[in-house]
Amino acid sequence: MNRVALYLQEHLLGEIITSKEAREYFSTDASIFKILPNVVIYPMHADDVRKTVKFSHQLSLKGKILPITARGLGTDLSGAAIGDGLLLVFPAHLNRLLELDAKSGEVRVEPGLNYGKLQQVLLTHDLFIPTSPTSMEYSTIGGAIANNAGGDRSHKYGKTLDYVKSLKVVLSNGDLIETRRLSKRDLSKKMGLTTLEGDIYRSIDRLIEENTSVISTINPSVAKNSAGYNIHLVKKKDGSFDLTPLIVGSQGTLGIITEASLLTMPRRPKSSLTIASFNDLNSLTAALDVINKFPEVPSAIELVDDKLLTLVKNVHPNLLKDIFNTESSKFILLVEFDNPSVRLRAKLTKRLDKYLKDKGLLFETSTNPVRIEEFWKFRRSATAVLGYLEGSAKPLPIIDDGIVPVEKFSEFIQSLYYLFSQNDLPIYIYGNAGDGQLHVQPILDLGNVGDRQKVFKVMIEYYNLVKQLGGSISAEHGDGRIRAPFLYGQYGDQKYEIFNKIKTIFDPQDILNTGVKFTDNLDSLKPILRNEYNLDFLYNYLPYV
Ligand SMILES: Cc1cc2nc3c(=O)[nH]c(=O)nc-3n(C[C@H](O)[C@H](O)[C@H](O)COP(=O)(O)OP(=O)(O)OC[C@H]3O[C@@H](n4cnc5c(N)ncnc54)[C@H](O)[C@@H]3O)c2cc1C
């Protein structure tokens, strides 16, 4: 055991592990990267987190950088749950649901709590968090907060940030603070503190005041954005101030979350689902245009293209058989309404059905839960089949999370088909059509030299395309390591500089998840590229069909 591990073992209550096997296990997440941590730590309580960060901070003052990476269940697709220093693994101990006020719906949790378990408990109280990611069953609530995760229903209900009321956070010097929305008066008290917390409030306030007009345009015109930091949401017009939006989505680069108070909402057990088939892109985008103008936003609008449907049918010939006729489909669209009022739901679906009927499109609407589950298979089986392709070529999460303004959606799809054909790659498209977001994963073999080069070529072309269309490189998965070199391209000088300053204000020694969100050099990613890609650690949970 190395000296660092021995020191930590003496001072922490949680376990400290340096075995090759454990370090190897934690050297990957769901991204295409691999980095061996130096020491793996299972913090027993917030004080262990505090002591670990303080230790790393003190080392950094002596010129030795030992970065700290927080980790939930490691399903991060951007390479943000791995790091070469100290890895704080939260699910082992800091995994409790601390308090649930069923009346107000507020719930207090530790970050390592499994998101799926939290949701199960909430449902028994007729509550839920509507923005849960597809990966809910095998990820933590801390990971969802740090990534500002979104899900099928984010189109209507927003992302994780919308449900975070306050956070307990260990700062880069080991101090523990609580973030929540503060009145002007409380803000001045915080600004009077002579601690790092005081510094942060003063410096962030100054940064906002000095850059008001840039910050007001910092958020791209897209439905969801996880690129950069949410600085535009910190200070409101009434002078109230909250650091929470900065921590949410920061991927452990500004502070380590040790506790969260979350908001929930009454669950929506009943819904209607329409499945519709489109023969071409024009009729699809015309329908999306109409749906986007409905008086109530659908709770989900999901898209799958014919290439993915064909793949599903080839791999599992009986899976989608006889559910819905997709013979001449180019695209399948799923539109869900979940308003608790039966009358209103019926009104909305009637309007949608009329439109689809008038256009002569093939569709079916159902309110029967069993039938609805069958319809959902068209979207969910797609992800599962892709995740379990046989052979060494795998769908790689390298361009999986781009989003464009909805009016550019059709151009986005066309350009993607072109980009893939130019690179001689098969393409399978699915995504949140209502938001203009697509998940595409080129199928490449990381053991093949040519394919490894293609990884970078495809990324450059894709992120240029997203930029050209005025989109965001990340809707919900975060910049991580993979998109860090493209963050500057999306935001340009002034905005990127603001993000850099935020990082320096919170973490002047750059010890928190070093290399995540900020890497200007694409070449620096080459040495950490895995030699193979798999999601074997998710075999207990997938396929999700
Ligand atoms: C098959 C699959 C499907 C997915 N579907 C979705 C989806 O629908 N929507 C979506 O948004 N994402 C999705 N993801 C990505 C990922 O699952 C989510 O972002 C998830 O919320 C991450 O949770 P985790 O526990 O695995 O976190 P990890 O992967 O362990 O960590 C994620 C990030 O959070 C940071 N972090 C973790 N704990 C803390 C803490 N206590 N303090 C500070 N930072 C912390 C880590 O450092 C890292 O930067 C998917 C991934 C896979 C593999």
Side-chain angles (χ1 to χ4, degrees), residues 29-30 69-82 88 90-91 111-112 115 131-136 138-152 159-160 247 250-253 255-258 379 383 401 439 476-477 480 513 516 533 535 537-538 542:
D29 49 17
T69 298
R71 180 162 167 129
L73 280 165
T75 62
D76 190 285
L77 293 158
S78 69
I82 47 175
L88 286 167
F90 280 89
Y115 200 152
T131 58
S132 51
T134 315
S135 52
M136 171 173 81
Y138 41 90
S139 60
T140 63
I141 188 66
I145 296 169
N147 271 355
N148 195 10
D152 291 348
K159 294 209 298 169
T160 309
I247 303 295
S250 70
Q251 302 194 284
T253 59
I256 310 285
I257 302 157
T258 56
R379 164 69 167 83
T383 332
D401 197 30
H439 300 296
E476 42 189 34
H477 298 163
N513 230 355
V516 169
Y533 180 76
L535 290 176
F537 73 120
L538 296 179
L542 289 173

Side-chain angles (χ1 to χ4, degrees), residues 376-393:
W376 270 118
K377 272 190 177 182
F378 280 82
R379 164 69 167 83
R380 289 172 183 156
S381 61
T383 332
V385 167
L386 274 176
Y388 282 88
L389 281 186
E390 288 189 29
S392 49

Side-chain angles (χ1 to χ4, degrees), residues 456-469:
F456 294 95
K457 181 172 182 286
V458 169
M459 276 201 289
I460 292 169
E461 291 173 14
Y462 173 85
Y463 290 114
N464 275 337
L465 168 68
V466 171
K467 185 184 162 186
Q468 260 173 35
L469 296 176

